[in-house]
Amino acid sequence: MTVIRPFRAILPNPEQAARVVARPYDVLSAREAESIARENPESFYHISKPEIHFPQYIDAHTPFPNEVYEAGARRLREFLERGLLIHDTGIHYYIYTQRMPHPFTAGQYIEQTGLVCLSSLNDYESGMIKKHELTRPDKEQDRIQHIRFTRAQTGNVFLAYRPLPVLDALIEKWKNTHQPAYHFHGEDGVEHIVWKVNHLTAIAQITRIFEQQVPCTYIADGHHRAASAALLRREWMQEGNANPADPHQFFLTTLVPADQLFIMEYNRLVKDLNGYDPESFLEKLKASFEITEPQDAVFRPQAPHQMGMYLPVSRAGRQGRWYGLTVKPELIPDDAVESLDVSLLQNLVLTPLLGIVNPRIDERIVFAGGIRGASYLESCVNSGEMAVAFLLHPVTPEQLFAVADAGKMMPPKSTWFEPKLPDGLFIHSLEETEIVHPIEWFEAEKSQF
């Protein structure tokens, strides 16, 4: 069963929410955050990226000295004292809708609705919350220190689950019959709408659905945040803090059904052709791909195992053309990881032809999140900065689940999720009292009548 719990969140003051809420701490550099926070003293970056107040650490690697994390904790207290952040009045689940303009299609929007709750770190440790990405110890230690000093989880972990019509119906009914507690647009133009599920019957219903009908969940985004919460909890349990209802036994999550995920591709650019000219490189590719005629229009893959390639027309010219590459069927392995397009590109092109054996450390390869668009790939090649660009098909939710179900890890830079869960809209304080069991709470309330 999947264990989730309602909680008493720390939330932004509704009147200040648009200025407080910020993009997640790990999607922009300290310099970018400092530039924004300098103009906005209410920005959550003052808490989530406290290194922006220490010029000597702006370009440093994490984790930072204790004084940096102490500054983040101090500013969290200050935000509470100033009323920029407030403790919620009760224990709730939160229904959370994000809506953003489609990055490439005018007039269309991307919308996802999730349930904000606490998820069990026992589930994480046992593998019922499934992972697909390796984590880095330095990034884990950064968030461990941030949680340790602030006594709060400020980073929201994005979990996915296979859709359940009964849960969809319950959430839609609540949205349609209750007024939102928050409705605002963030600094990046994303629309945020929050409803509080504050009725004990509904809270118990939601809890039962997850306990009885959701066998597992999957981390979509936030592997480092989840790992950090689990490692710190393990440390505290070894020190004797083993009460299963303690706040540190849980971590802050938003659960979204897989049919609402918007996964974008993670594209690749390479700085040189490893001695090939464009014509001979194309000729080499024919052993593994069916290749379309060159075209000026972007070739955007319509299915897995297709990819677009932007390549200069000659060694002397910088202006490129688009080609469609389709992997020959006999070269597609029957393996959840090796059949991914990022793996096929690596194994059929990057390693054997371009000499990029380890993309994690090779400085000749650059990764570009799909949010940048095809025009960014074109500009990098046309400028001469890059020799070739590959536009991939996004990983599907089914592919992601298959990798996680097999207990395997995705290759680096495989997925880009939009919209991302912000920081500062929901905070899980570890100084709260015990986390309640909603069904026991519900049964106790019923017994009084």
Side-chain angles (χ1 to χ4, degrees):
M1 72 178 181
T2 294
V3 174
I4 63 169
R5 294 288 183 264
F7 68 115
R8 188 168 80 112
I10 295 175
L11 305 162
N13 185 317
E15 295 180 0
Q16 300 290 331
R19 288 181 60 77
V20 171
V21 172
R23 284 175 288 169
Y25 76 95
D26 55 354
V27 301
L28 75 173
S29 70
R31 290 195 179 278
E32 291 170 319
E34 191 277 333
S35 176
I36 296 168
R38 191 186 325 126
E39 303 297 324
N40 179 9
E42 287 83 41
S43 171
F44 201 78
Y45 294 135
H46 294 285
I47 296 167
S48 62
K49 294 183 78 71
E51 66 271 23
I52 65 177
H53 296 283
F54 298 82
Q56 67 271 36
Y57 300 130
I58 285 283
D59 296 315
H61 295 290
T62 56
F64 302 104
N66 288 351
E67 62 179 331
V68 174
Y69 301 104
E70 288 168 350
R74 184 171 63 252
R75 285 183 170 82
L76 175 57
R77 292 193 298 269
E78 290 172 359
F79 273 42
L80 285 163
E81 291 166 2
R82 292 166 57 191
L84 295 171
L85 293 171
I86 55 177
H87 289 274
D88 202 356
T89 55
I91 297 171
H92 304 133
Y93 286 130
Y94 303 88
I95 295 170
Y96 176 33
T97 292
Q98 293 170 283
R99 191 168 185 261
M100 64 177 282
H102 195 288
F104 310 122
T105 308
Q108 292 190 15
Y109 289 84
I110 300 162
E111 184 174 304
Q112 67 183 22
T113 296
L115 182 76
V116 183
C117 61
L118 301 183
S119 291
S120 166
L121 283 166
N122 276 339
D123 285 0
Y124 177 85
E125 295 281 13
S126 70
M128 288 179 61
I129 296 174
K130 301 192 178 188
K131 304 177 279 288
H132 69 262
E133 184 179 294
L134 294 172
T135 53
R136 286 173 41 183
D138 59 334
K139 291 189 174 184
E140 291 171 351
Q141 285 302 313
D142 171 53
R143 284 304 101 175
I144 285 173
Q145 288 294 81
H146 195 273
I147 296 169
R148 190 194 308 278
F149 279 86
T150 61
R151 301 289 300 173
Q153 296 163 356
T154 63
N156 202 334
V157 179
F158 186 1
L159 300 184
Y161 61 93
R162 290 186 169 87
L164 277 176
V166 63
L167 186 58
D168 291 345
L170 191 157
I171 287 174
E172 283 304 309
K173 182 178 179 181
W174 191 275
K175 288 169 59 177
N176 293 332
T177 55
H178 294 80
Q179 289 297 314
Y182 291 84
H183 191 172
F184 64 95
H185 286 79
E187 63 179 27
D188 54 359
V190 176
E191 185 178 5
H192 305 271
I193 314 172
V194 177
W195 294 261
K196 295 181 183 181
V197 181
N198 52 10
H199 194 286
L200 188 48
T201 304
I203 290 173
Q205 257 185 311
I206 291 170
T207 306
R208 279 199 184 97
I209 289 171
F210 275 92
E211 285 188 351
Q212 297 174 1
Q213 299 185 50
V214 180
C216 63
T217 58
Y218 300 82
I219 298 180
D221 208 3
H223 283 79
H224 286 94
R225 284 161 254 167
S228 301
L231 288 167
L232 190 54
R233 174 247 198 179
R234 196 179 303 166
E235 176 186 319
W236 284 342
M237 287 186 69
Q238 289 172 351
E239 295 172 357
N241 302 307
N243 181 349
D246 279 345
H248 66 258
Q249 303 282 358
F250 300 85
F251 67 117
L252 177 64
T253 59
T254 295
L255 284 75
V256 176
D259 56 1
Q260 292 191 40
L261 298 181
F262 184 67
I263 308 177
M264 303 184 76
E265 70 281 1
Y266 227 126
N267 299 312
R268 273 77 170 136
L269 300 112
V270 181
K271 293 181 179 180
D272 64 73
L273 294 181
N274 199 30
Y276 294 104
D277 58 34
E279 293 83 0
S280 60
F281 182 61
L282 272 170
E283 193 63 31
K284 283 287 186 179
L285 290 173
K286 290 178 181 178
S288 303
F289 299 90
E290 300 295 338
I291 304 176
T292 67
E293 292 297 316
Q295 60 187 52
D296 292 326
V298 176
F299 183 90
R300 188 167 290 280
Q302 298 302 306
H305 310 143
Q306 288 183 355
M307 56 192 75
M309 180 180 69
Y310 191 69
L311 183 72
V313 294
S314 69
R315 187 188 290 271
R318 288 182 175 177
Q319 191 67 32
R321 305 289 298 279
W322 283 98
Y323 298 83
L325 310 182
T326 301
V327 182
K328 292 182 177 179
E330 65 271 19
L331 298 179
I332 301 171
D334 185 19
D335 179 89
V337 174
E338 297 303 312
S339 62
L340 295 172
D341 289 350
V342 289
S343 298
L344 291 166
L345 178 64
Q346 182 65 45
N347 296 333
L348 298 176
V349 181
L350 299 181
T351 295
L353 300 184
L354 298 179
I356 297 172
V357 177
N358 188 345
R360 293 180 184 273
I361 61 173
D362 198 312
E363 295 182 353
R364 295 169 55 229
I365 188 169
V366 174
F367 302 94
I371 194 70
R372 289 180 177 269
S375 60
Y376 173 77
L377 304 182
E378 291 178 341
S379 67
C380 289
V381 173
N382 291 342
S383 70
E385 181 184 0
M386 296 291 163
V388 64
F390 297 95
L391 176 63
L392 303 180
H393 188 272
V395 171
T396 67
E398 293 75 20
Q399 287 177 312
L400 188 152
F401 289 177
V403 171
D405 287 339
K408 298 185 177 182
M409 298 293 122
M410 301 275 275
K413 308 293 186 184
S414 295
T415 55
W416 182 281
F417 290 88
E418 288 288 347
K420 295 188 176 296
L421 299 176
D423 287 347
L425 183 50
F426 305 97
I427 299 169
H428 173 215
S429 171
L430 300 184
E431 295 182 334
E432 283 291 316
T433 54
E434 292 185 349
I435 303 300
V436 301
H437 189 300
I439 297 173
E440 292 177 1
W441 180 21
F442 177 70
E443 295 298 335
E445 289 289 318
K446 279 203 313 182
S447 68
Q448 296 180 23
F449 297 96

